[in-house]
Amino acid sequence: MGASLFTKSSFLGACLFSFFTFCLLLDPALCITRHYKFHIKLKNVTRLCHTKSLVTVNGKFPGPRITAREGDQLLIKVVNHVQNNISLHWHGIRQLQSGWADGPAYITQCPIQTAQTYVYNYTIIGQRGTLWWHAHVSWLRSTLYGPIIILPKIGVPYPFAKPYKEVPIIFGEWFNADTEAIINQALQTGGGPNVSEAYTINGLPGPLYNCSAKDTFKLKVKPGKTYMLRLINAALNDELFFSIANHTLTVVEVDAVYVKPFETETVLITPGQTTNVLLKTKPNFPNATFFMTARPYVTGLGTFDNSTVAGILQYEASLSLSIKHLPLFKPALPPLNDTAYATNFTNKLRSLASANFPANVPQKVDKQFFFTVGLGTNPCPQNQTCQGPNGTMFAASVNNVSFEMPTTALLQSHFFSQSQGVYTSDFPVIPIIRFNYTGNPPNNTMVSNGTKVVVLNFNTSVELIMQDTSILGAESHPLHLHGFNFYVVGQGFGNFDRNKDPAKFNLVDPVERNTVGVPSGGWVAIRFLADNPGVWFMHCHLEVHTSWGLKMAWVVLDGKLPNQKLLPPPADLPKC
C-alpha cells in the first residue's frame, strides 16, 4: 500500500535500502515505518565550468527525496564518511516528544563525527505537505539539502482538485569557493562573506549564466493539465521572487499547511519556507517555451548575488517539433527591493480555518515577549584589523544578545539537569535598553554575548512580537522556530505599538507556518502553544545572520502526563 509511493528510480536514488513495517493506528489507518540510509560523502560536481568537491548525501546534489504519509515513522541512518562534523535538521517537522531527532548541532545533539553514525527517529504527527531537510552545522546546508514530501493519510484527499503531477522545485545557491572557507574567513575578519556565483533550480543554474546552458532544469508538461509545484527555498542567504512567463500560479499551501487558494503572477519565498502552487497549463500546445525564473528580494545594505536563475517550461507536442525554433518568453519579476509587492503577497496568506483544517489560534495569551532582531557589532580583538563597520566585527542579536554556541548540546544539559556552565535561563523577554528601533540608530552598536534561553512551562500560550531594528540598516529577517508551528496574527511597519496594533490582529484565520519574514523596518506578531517538551532553536534563516549570532533557544518543560514528556535520548546519540 505504501510501497507504491516510490518509483523505481526515486527508490534507488533516495535510499540504499528501505523496508516497511506496518502498524495499526487507532483510526484505524495503516502507518508505515520507512527506513532510509544517508551516506555523507564527497562528490565532484561541475557547475559554471568549475569543478569542486561537494559534501553530499549518497553522492547526490541536491540530496535525495524523502517521501512519507502523515502518521508514518521515519528511521534515517546517517553515516558520516567526511572530515566535517555533520548534523541534519528535518525542517518543519514538529518532533513531538522526539527532540533528539531535530538536528541543530549543539542545540539538540552533538554533531556526527567522522566515521560515526546516528539514526534520526521520528513520527510525522498531524502534518502533510512539503517540508525539507538540510544540514544544520556551519554552512554545510549549501549542498546538503533535499525535499520531504508528506502525503495525506490514505483516503484523505487534498482540499483542492488532485493535480495531474507533482514536482519538487528547490532553489539553492552555487559557490565556486568552499562555503566553509567563506564563512570561516568572514568570522575571522569580522567582515561580510563573499556571495554566491549563481542561484540554482534543483541544483542547476540555467542558461542565463555563462557556461551553464546544458545545466538547465526543464519542466516538461502536457496541455490542459494541472501540476503542483512544491517550491522550497534552500538558498543560504537570499529571499527570492519566482515566476513563470505567461502563466498564473495558485498558492494552496505554505510550510506544510493548507491556505485559502489565491492566484498570483509571482511568489515570494524566504530561505526556510516552502510553498505549494498549482500550475494550470494552457489548453493547447502554445508554440512557445517559457522561462521560469527566480532572483532575490533585497532589503539590506550589504552585497548580494544580483543574478537570475532560469529553468524552462516546455510543452509536449503531439508532433515532433524542435523547441530551438520556438519563441522563448521571459517573466517580469518585481524590482529587487519591491517591499510593497512582498507585503501584498504575504498579506494574502490565510489559513483554511475549516472544519477539517481548523486554525487553532491561541485566543488567550499566558506569556508576552518582545524581541528586537537585527545587526550590531563586536569589538575587534587586539592586534587585529577587522573589516566590519568602523573597524569592528559584524554581529547579530536578539534583544541585543548575540548567541554563543555551546560545546555541549543544550538538550542533553537540560534533560540531565546539567545546565550549569552550559546555558543560563535569563534571556531578556523585552529589550533591556529601549530606543527608536526603526529611527536613527543609537551611537553604541555593540551587542552582548551569551548562551541564554527562555524557559516555558508546558502548554504555555505565547505571543511574540519580533521587531526589526535600523542598527546598521533595516533588513528583513526570516525567523524559523524549531519544534512548533505558529500563527502570524499581525505585522506592520515602523515600531510596534502595544496600545494600537493588537486591535488589528487576525485571530480568525491567520496563516500558520514555521518560518516568517520580519519585515524590513517593521514587526511581526506570532502566537503558538508550547505543547512540545524539549529545547527548541529559533534563528534567522539567512545563514550569515545565524553565524553572527541572530539566534536563541526556548526550553519547554515536561507536562504531567506521559505524552507530555520528552522521551529519554537514544543510545546512539552523538557525543561531543
Side-chain angles (χ1 to χ4, degrees):
M1 189 174 294
S4 63
L5 300 178
F6 292 90
T7 64
K8 183 177 180 182
S9 59
S10 67
F11 174 83
L12 294 174
C15 56
L16 297 182
F17 73 96
S18 181
F19 63 88
F20 306 139
T21 303
F22 291 88
C23 61
L24 192 64
L25 298 179
L26 295 177
D27 52 0
L30 290 174
C31 74
I32 292 174
T33 298
R34 302 177 185 272
H35 296 249
Y36 287 81
K37 199 166 189 179
F38 277 18
H39 285 280
I40 310 296
K41 57 184 181 181
L42 296 176
K43 172 78 172 182
N44 284 340
V45 175
T46 301
R47 299 286 187 270
L48 311 180
C49 284
H50 183 90
T51 301
K52 60 183 288 190
S53 183
L54 301 186
V55 180
T56 69
V57 169
N58 300 346
K60 297 191 174 299
F61 171 68
R65 181 189 313 180
I66 289 176
T67 304
R69 284 196 185 274
E70 179 184 349
D72 287 353
Q73 180 188 24
L74 288 171
L75 295 175
I76 305 169
K77 183 177 183 180
V78 178
V79 186
N80 186 7
H81 301 278
V82 301
Q83 294 302 308
N84 309 78
N85 286 341
I86 297 295
S87 73
L88 297 183
H89 170 52
W90 320 96
H91 185 111
I93 298 290
R94 285 290 315 274
Q95 300 292 359
L96 291 165
Q97 295 185 274
S98 58
W100 307 105
D102 192 43
Y106 301 106
I107 304 298
T108 59
Q109 66 166 94
C110 299
I112 307 166
Q113 299 179 23
T114 305
Q116 299 298 309
T117 66
Y118 180 48
V119 177
Y120 290 92
N121 178 357
Y122 57 90
T123 299
I124 300 168
I125 301 172
Q127 294 181 279
R128 81 294 304 164
T130 303
L131 295 173
W132 64 299
W133 60 265
H134 60 83
H136 215 303
V137 56
S138 191
W139 277 25
L140 289 175
R141 77 173 174 90
S142 63
T143 60
L144 283 173
Y145 61 82
I148 301 176
I149 309 302
I150 307 172
L151 301 174
K153 292 180 180 180
I154 295 172
V156 177
Y158 294 132
F160 45 83
K162 184 179 180 180
Y164 171 72
K165 191 176 181 181
E166 303 177 11
V167 183
I169 292 182
I170 188 163
F171 305 107
E173 288 173 284
W174 173 265
F175 295 80
N176 284 339
D178 175 26
T179 51
E180 293 303 279
I182 290 173
I183 185 56
N184 287 339
Q185 180 186 32
L187 293 177
Q188 289 171 5
T189 64
N194 292 337
V195 301
S196 56
E197 273 69 38
Y199 299 106
T200 58
I201 295 177
N202 291 350
L204 302 171
L208 301 184
Y209 296 102
N210 291 332
C211 193
S212 191
K214 65 180 178 60
D215 293 323
T216 300
F217 173 71
K218 295 180 180 178
L219 176 59
K220 297 182 179 180
V221 299
K222 295 181 178 181
K225 301 290 185 182
T226 298
Y227 293 76
M228 183 159 72
L229 309 183
R230 296 177 177 267
L231 308 178
I232 301 166
N233 188 352
L236 284 184
N237 291 311
D238 292 284
E239 303 179 73
L240 296 171
F241 289 123
F242 171 75
S243 185
I244 301 177
N246 295 18
H247 289 75
T248 299
L249 303 172
T250 302
V251 178
V252 294
E253 177 205 301
V254 297
D255 291 359
V257 180
Y258 299 130
V259 296
K260 290 182 172 69
F262 67 91
E263 292 185 347
T264 184
E265 303 296 323
T266 302
V267 171
L268 172 67
I269 184 167
T270 77
Q273 290 182 341
T274 66
T275 304
N276 283 4
V277 297
L278 299 181
L279 167 67
K280 190 171 183 178
T281 59
K282 299 181 182 301
N284 301 302
F285 183 76
N287 288 311
T289 55
F290 306 90
F291 266 142
M292 51 176 73
T293 60
R295 74 176 181 198
Y297 163 55
V298 181
T299 57
L301 300 177
T303 58
F304 62 96
D305 181 352
N306 183 14
S307 66
T308 302
V309 59
I312 294 178
L313 181 70
Q314 180 180 326
Y315 279 73
E316 297 179 8
S318 56
L319 300 175
S320 178
L321 295 174
S322 173
I323 67 167
K324 292 182 179 179
H325 303 294
L326 295 177
L328 178 59
F329 292 98
K330 297 181 180 180
L333 289 168
L336 293 167
N337 61 349
D338 198 339
T339 295
Y341 187 94
T343 303
N344 184 52
F345 178 84
T346 55
N347 284 340
K348 292 179 182 178
L349 295 169
R350 292 285 187 271
S351 290
L352 280 184
S354 65
N356 291 331
F357 304 102
N360 296 316
V361 192
Q363 301 293 314
K364 177 182 69 70
V365 173
D366 299 320
K367 294 282 188 180
Q368 291 180 322
F369 300 91
F370 185 94
F371 289 176
T372 56
V373 294
L375 302 185
T377 57
N378 272 320
C380 188
Q382 287 187 343
N383 303 319
Q384 182 178 330
T385 301
C386 292
Q387 298 176 4
N390 300 315
T392 62
M393 304 184 78
F394 269 115
S397 67
V398 181
N399 273 356
N400 205 49
V401 177
S402 187
F403 190 86
E404 291 183 335
M405 293 297 285
T407 55
T408 301
L410 297 185
L411 186 57
Q412 280 177 275
S413 305
H414 161 67
F415 186 83
F416 293 109
S417 300
Q418 297 173 345
S419 62
Q420 186 171 0
V422 179
Y423 67 84
T424 59
S425 56
D426 57 346
F427 187 91
V429 299
I430 59 173
I432 296 175
I433 300 175
R434 299 186 182 186
F435 60 98
N436 183 359
Y437 306 117
T438 56
N440 293 326
N443 293 328
N444 182 6
T445 62
M446 294 293 174
V447 302
S448 62
N449 300 274
T451 309
K452 301 175 184 289
V453 305
V454 172
V455 178
L456 297 171
N457 289 323
F458 185 83
N459 255 7
T460 299
S461 57
V462 174
E463 180 180 279
L464 169 62
I465 311 299
M466 292 183 283
Q467 171 77 59
D468 182 38
T469 71
S470 58
I471 299 175
L472 304 184
E475 188 171 359
S476 60
H477 300 278
L479 266 291
H480 172 49
L481 175 60
H482 290 226
F484 301 94
N485 280 358
F486 52 77
Y487 291 93
V488 183
V489 297
Q491 64 179 28
F493 291 98
N495 297 330
F496 175 74
D497 188 331
R498 173 61 67 183
N499 295 320
K500 296 180 180 179
D501 289 325
K504 297 176 284 187
F505 284 178
N506 175 9
L507 302 181
V508 177
D509 63 347
V511 66
E512 179 184 354
R513 50 190 334 161
N514 62 60
T515 305
V516 66
V518 179
S520 176
W523 55 270
V524 66
I526 67 171
R527 289 187 179 185
F528 66 95
L529 186 66
D531 59 352
N532 195 4
V535 177
W536 304 107
F537 207 26
M538 190 177 80
H539 61 97
C540 185
H541 229 276
L542 301 180
E543 205 62 40
V544 60
H545 291 174
T546 293
S547 298
W548 286 339
L550 209 168
K551 49 197 174 185
M552 55 84 63
W554 305 83
V555 174
V556 179
L557 303 177
D558 282 349
K560 297 179 180 180
L561 302 177
N563 65 349
Q564 300 172 344
K565 298 179 185 295
L566 177 67
L567 300 176
D572 64 340
L573 186 71
K575 296 179 174 58
C576 289

